[in-house]
Amino acid sequence: MSVAENISILRKRNGITQEQLADELGVSRQAVSKWETGEAFPETDKLIALCDKFGVNCDALLRGNVAAGEVRERDSESPDRNNERAEKRRIDRFSLMMAFGVGSTLLGVALCVLLSGFGVLRDAKPYRIFGVACVFLFVAASVFLFVYGGITNENEKKAHPERRGVSAEDAKAFLRRYPLVMACLFAGVILLIVMLVLGFALFAPDGTKRSGFNGCVITAVFLAGLSVCVGGLCLIGIRRDGYKPSSEVSEPQTGKANESRLQRIAGGISGAIMLTATAVFLLCGFLGDLWHSAWVVFPIGGILCGIVNTVMQSFDKKN
């Protein structure tokens, strides 16, 4: 509908005459009449005044269909839709930070192992020193992402308690992709394990520098691929938990009030396990020169983390 038709319908719907509207806007009755017949177009300040008067936005006044009730529907749905989009952006940003934080640690270890391989091949200690520096550099990046991402996420949730979930369309679209993405990530982990076993079977270390280098390269590729898969699992896991339609969320999710105490405990235990695994890896490398074999502490740590989370979730459901 045209602006002229919308102004006329809104004026009559509110029971206002052209003279009354003209007096409120500070224009002549002829000006209002010309607006409604399409002979003239309201100036910008008058458009804003009309929007405030009738409780509509400019887009609805200019392009809406007030006769069909389109303006009222848009105005009532717009805040909710904006909140749903803002909530989706928050979840996406937080999940990306956590995924990169998890993946960065494994990627740093992969670079450390690769550089250690060059150190074995060329019998040069600087490569190993650079490798350890890579571990600490990537761990520092992970810690930064965890701390910054966690604090900003919590602050945003507390500052906007009105955001209760994403739109039903976004939630359904994610759930359609979720099984395929999960299957691909788990299949990727299995393929990486197969690659690792075959690699060591074909290039088994026999004590030579070349075989030691090959073992480090295979391990580094495995850890790099594992960082992608684990980061992906973290990403999709956070989004799976956060992508809830706003119609299904009864209360605002603020701070850690809605987070299970057992889940927080499980997260702390898992973090301690992986930090311990990293420390064991570095000690084995520095003290025993076992860079090429000490990597096994990370898969073991991941298995222990999975067991802890499974046990905690089972106990949480029972209670």
Side-chain angles (χ1 to χ4, degrees):
M1 296 183 69
S2 65
V3 179
E5 293 173 312
N6 283 334
I7 294 175
S8 177
I9 292 172
L10 289 170
R11 179 182 62 77
K12 293 176 182 178
R13 179 180 291 169
N14 286 269
I16 301 174
T17 65
Q18 289 185 345
E19 289 83 358
Q20 291 173 333
L21 182 60
D23 290 339
E24 293 186 19
L25 298 180
V27 298
S28 64
R29 187 196 65 79
Q30 290 78 9
V32 175
S33 177
K34 290 182 179 180
W35 292 347
E36 294 185 357
T37 59
E39 297 179 19
F41 191 85
E43 297 178 355
T44 303
D45 59 333
K46 303 306 179 186
L47 277 175
I48 297 174
L50 285 168
C51 292
D52 293 338
K53 171 64 180 177
F54 297 124
V56 299
N57 55 46
C58 288
D59 181 68
L61 182 63
L62 295 174
R63 297 183 295 182
N65 185 354
V66 296
E70 182 179 342
V71 172
R72 293 183 180 273
E73 291 176 1
R74 286 184 183 180
D75 291 341
S76 62
E77 293 176 0
S78 178
D80 292 338
R81 181 56 179 160
N82 290 337
N83 286 333
E84 290 169 347
R85 290 174 178 171
E87 180 69 4
K88 183 177 182 299
R89 287 194 297 270
R90 180 191 67 80
I91 296 171
D92 290 347
R93 183 169 57 250
F94 176 66
S95 60
L96 280 173
M97 287 186 182
M98 297 301 101
F100 277 113
V102 172
S104 294
T105 302
L106 290 173
L107 190 59
V109 176
L111 286 175
C112 178
V113 173
L114 183 61
L115 290 172
S116 297
F118 282 104
V120 171
L121 183 65
R122 301 182 181 181
D123 197 18
K125 283 190 176 181
Y127 285 100
R128 300 177 184 179
I129 296 174
F130 292 149
V132 175
C134 285
V135 172
F136 285 106
L137 179 64
F138 278 83
V139 168
S142 298
V143 171
F144 171 81
L145 290 172
F146 290 147
V147 174
Y148 177 76
I151 293 176
T152 54
N153 181 65
E154 291 299 322
N155 289 341
E156 188 171 354
K157 287 167 67 177
K158 291 178 181 178
H160 301 281
E162 72 279 2
R163 300 176 185 172
R164 300 193 178 188
V166 303
S167 65
E169 293 78 10
D170 290 333
K172 290 179 180 178
F174 173 79
L175 289 177
R176 283 196 298 268
R177 300 189 299 266
Y178 178 74
L180 177 61
V181 176
M182 285 291 290
C184 291
L185 290 173
F186 278 113
V189 173
I190 294 174
L191 289 175
L192 286 170
I193 295 174
V194 172
M195 181 275 298
L196 182 69
V197 174
L198 291 177
F200 273 96
L202 296 174
F203 305 98
D206 55 6
T208 63
K209 293 182 178 181
R210 173 57 62 177
S211 65
F213 172 76
N214 292 338
C216 289
V217 171
I218 295 170
T219 304
V221 173
F222 169 76
L223 290 174
L226 192 63
S227 69
V228 175
C229 293
V230 173
L233 289 171
C234 176
L235 176 76
I236 196 171
I238 293 175
R239 293 186 179 181
R240 175 66 179 85
D241 184 61
Y243 277 12
K244 297 178 181 177
S246 55
S247 59
E248 298 180 5
V249 181
S250 57
E251 296 180 358
Q253 300 176 357
T254 58
K256 294 187 177 180
N258 298 312
E259 186 181 1
S260 169
R261 183 176 63 88
L262 291 178
Q263 289 178 350
R264 296 198 298 271
I265 294 174
I269 295 174
S270 298
I273 290 173
M274 295 312 297
L275 286 175
T276 302
T278 303
V280 171
F281 175 80
L282 294 176
L283 288 174
C284 291
F286 277 121
L287 301 179
D289 197 21
L290 299 174
W291 299 104
H292 62 284
S293 58
W295 62 269
V296 295
V297 299
F298 292 103
I300 294 173
I303 293 172
L304 292 176
C305 290
I307 294 173
V308 168
N309 281 277
T310 301
V311 172
M312 288 294 187
Q313 288 178 4
S314 301
F315 185 78
D316 194 18
K317 290 180 180 178
K318 292 179 181 179
N319 292 276

